[in-house]
Amino acid sequence: LGVAWVKYPCWLPPEDTARAEEVAAILTKLQDVNIQTVGMLDRPPEEQLPLFSPRGRRDLVAAQMFQDSATWQPLLDPVMARLTLKVRMWQLGGDRDYSFLGRPRLREAIREISTGLQGFGQPIDVAICWPWLERDSPPGESSWQAVCRSSDPPLEPRELNAFLTLNAREARSDGPRTWLLTDPIEQGKYDRNTRVRDLVLRMATVRSHRVQAAFVSDPQHSERGLLRPDGRPDELLLPWRTTSRLIGNLRKVGSLQLRGNAHNSVFIGSERSVVMLWSEQPSEERIYFGDDVKMVDVWGNVTKLPVEYEGDQPVQRVPVGRVPVFIMGADPTLLAFRMSVELEQTQLDSLLG
């Protein structure tokens, strides 16, 4: 399905060794197929909640759960001693848990929590959640290794690009790595093609920036999931899979100037290249991408693009619409030439033809 990262809830009762073994086995299976795993410490088991003296549901957040080490550390020590051999990265709180926002002495607090969770086990990395509309702490003032950014409702693709661009200007190479949520927009408010377009363009935006991982926070959500609540595939699962498998490990390097002015992004990797095209209005682009080129739509349908000739000029005809399509097999040298060359002198002597 094109999944490369998984967050898994790991706050277990310390005496439940059978469940701990089951979680460890699941994490091992994920890692065996090269899926990065993140342990989530988001909510204690129900029987432990009275120990934290919550006044209501609002107190069931990470900043409150991890406030007193004398309470949480004895509960988590057995779990962490077993699972830190399997998992290096841990997230404090669930997705969109912004409870650390505004906490005084946050750097020292997260460092103490990280040290307490590590115990006598393997070194761990810690991630926290932070809203897009709030500026992150300066890199030199953070003691966490990753920050998961999100907003509700989700940012539109152009908004996400603007925030990631600003984030890149302020970030340092030794600062926290960037994660983000790419939850689909709500099924009840938008038609299918609008939801597909929004999800695919946001996934492509992620590959335009230095983002380590992007997550769907609740894959089985009835309105924002990729699966139905019973686990069956929903309408966005195939577009997610197609986009992730085609560009998930590539990097955007630029865009082409096309005759029909269709929007496009060029993604390049060490062994292949992919061009994504879309347009506000249905149109047809005529351009030569190479000899053995295929078009793939978001549902995974593959169409071979034959080479035609307009005079001496080879072209391929690409139908483009609001939902993006992908071009596979494009000649990377040709793409690089098209992106890097422009005409220095636009008025030429007619003798040159």
Side-chain angles (χ1 to χ4, degrees):
L1 293 179
V3 174
W5 288 70
V6 167
K7 296 179 183 180
Y8 202 88
C10 292
W11 197 320
L12 309 172
E15 69 280 358
D16 193 347
T17 56
R19 177 61 179 154
E21 290 291 342
E22 180 184 350
V23 171
I26 291 172
L27 297 175
T28 299
K29 289 181 179 180
L30 292 171
Q31 293 164 359
D32 286 345
V33 291
N34 297 319
I35 292 178
Q36 300 285 335
T37 54
V38 180
M40 289 187 70
L41 300 174
D42 55 342
R43 180 184 170 91
E46 290 291 332
E47 61 269 23
Q48 294 181 6
L49 292 181
L51 300 174
F52 296 91
S53 304
R55 291 171 293 180
R57 309 296 294 184
R58 290 187 175 183
D59 281 352
L60 300 179
V61 292
Q64 294 293 331
M65 297 294 106
F66 287 98
Q67 192 167 20
D68 182 10
S69 60
T71 302
W72 61 260
Q73 194 162 0
L75 301 175
L76 284 173
D77 271 348
V79 177
M80 300 301 291
R82 184 184 300 269
L83 294 183
T84 51
L85 295 174
K86 301 289 184 183
V87 181
R88 172 68 181 262
M89 177 64 73
W90 295 83
Q91 178 173 305
L92 305 181
D95 291 328
R96 297 188 180 87
D97 181 343
Y98 309 134
S99 56
F100 287 113
L101 181 65
R103 178 166 175 170
R105 300 180 59 252
L106 181 58
R107 177 174 59 173
E108 291 78 9
I110 298 297
R111 182 180 292 116
E112 291 171 5
I113 294 171
S114 178
T115 302
L117 290 172
Q118 177 180 331
F120 299 102
Q122 300 292 322
I124 65 171
D125 291 341
V126 167
I128 64 173
C129 295
W130 209 263
W132 274 120
L133 298 182
E134 295 287 343
R135 298 186 67 173
D136 196 5
S137 299
E141 298 180 12
S142 59
S143 56
W144 47 95
Q145 287 70 46
V147 56
C148 187
R149 309 299 292 265
S150 60
S151 67
D152 196 13
L155 298 175
E156 296 180 356
R158 285 180 295 180
E159 295 172 329
L160 179 60
N161 182 66
F163 273 97
L164 285 170
T165 301
L166 179 62
N167 186 66
R169 291 173 184 166
E170 298 177 348
R172 293 192 339 204
S173 59
D174 58 345
R177 301 182 289 275
T178 299
W179 298 351
L180 53 83
L181 301 185
T182 54
D183 291 338
I185 55 180
E186 294 182 10
Q187 187 171 13
K189 294 183 178 180
Y190 303 92
D191 62 72
R192 186 186 70 176
N193 282 350
T194 300
R195 299 180 73 225
V196 169
R197 169 189 167 96
D198 176 81
L199 177 63
V200 172
L201 290 183
R202 280 191 285 137
M203 293 174 72
T205 302
V206 168
R207 302 314 306 148
S208 306
H209 297 273
R210 297 185 65 84
V211 175
Q212 186 180 35
F215 298 89
V216 171
S217 63
D218 187 353
Q220 291 176 256
H221 193 280
S222 59
E223 287 288 318
R224 295 182 175 180
L226 302 176
L227 306 169
R228 298 175 184 177
D230 62 4
R232 290 183 297 160
D234 210 346
E235 61 186 15
L236 292 188
L237 183 62
L238 267 182
W240 163 278
R241 176 189 185 274
T242 301
T243 307
S244 180
R245 291 180 69 94
L246 288 181
I247 67 172
N249 61 347
L250 306 181
R251 177 70 60 187
K252 179 182 175 182
V253 296
S255 58
L256 305 170
Q257 184 174 348
L258 302 178
R259 297 184 191 182
N261 295 319
H263 303 292
N264 66 93
S265 296
V266 178
F267 301 91
I268 298 290
S270 59
E271 298 180 352
R272 61 190 183 92
S273 59
V274 172
V275 182
M276 188 178 81
L277 300 97
W278 71 101
S279 175
E280 302 302 327
Q281 300 295 330
S283 61
E284 181 183 75
E285 286 291 351
R286 304 192 313 276
I287 182 175
Y288 178 67
F289 285 113
D291 292 331
D292 187 19
V293 175
K294 299 179 178 65
M295 181 183 72
V296 184
D297 66 17
V298 294
W299 310 106
N301 299 307
V302 180
T303 303
K304 187 173 179 60
L305 296 179
V307 178
E308 303 177 7
Y309 283 88
E310 296 181 352
D312 296 331
Q313 181 68 39
V315 297
Q316 282 136 340
R317 298 179 182 271
V318 184
V320 185
R322 294 191 73 248
V323 177
V325 295
F326 302 92
I327 304 299
M328 294 179 57
D331 185 336
T333 304
L334 183 59
L335 293 176
F337 178 81
R338 288 187 179 276
M339 288 186 291
S340 62
V341 174
E342 61 183 52
L343 203 59
E344 180 179 0
Q345 183 177 341
T346 57
Q347 298 294 319
L348 300 179
D349 192 319
S350 62
L351 293 177
L352 297 177

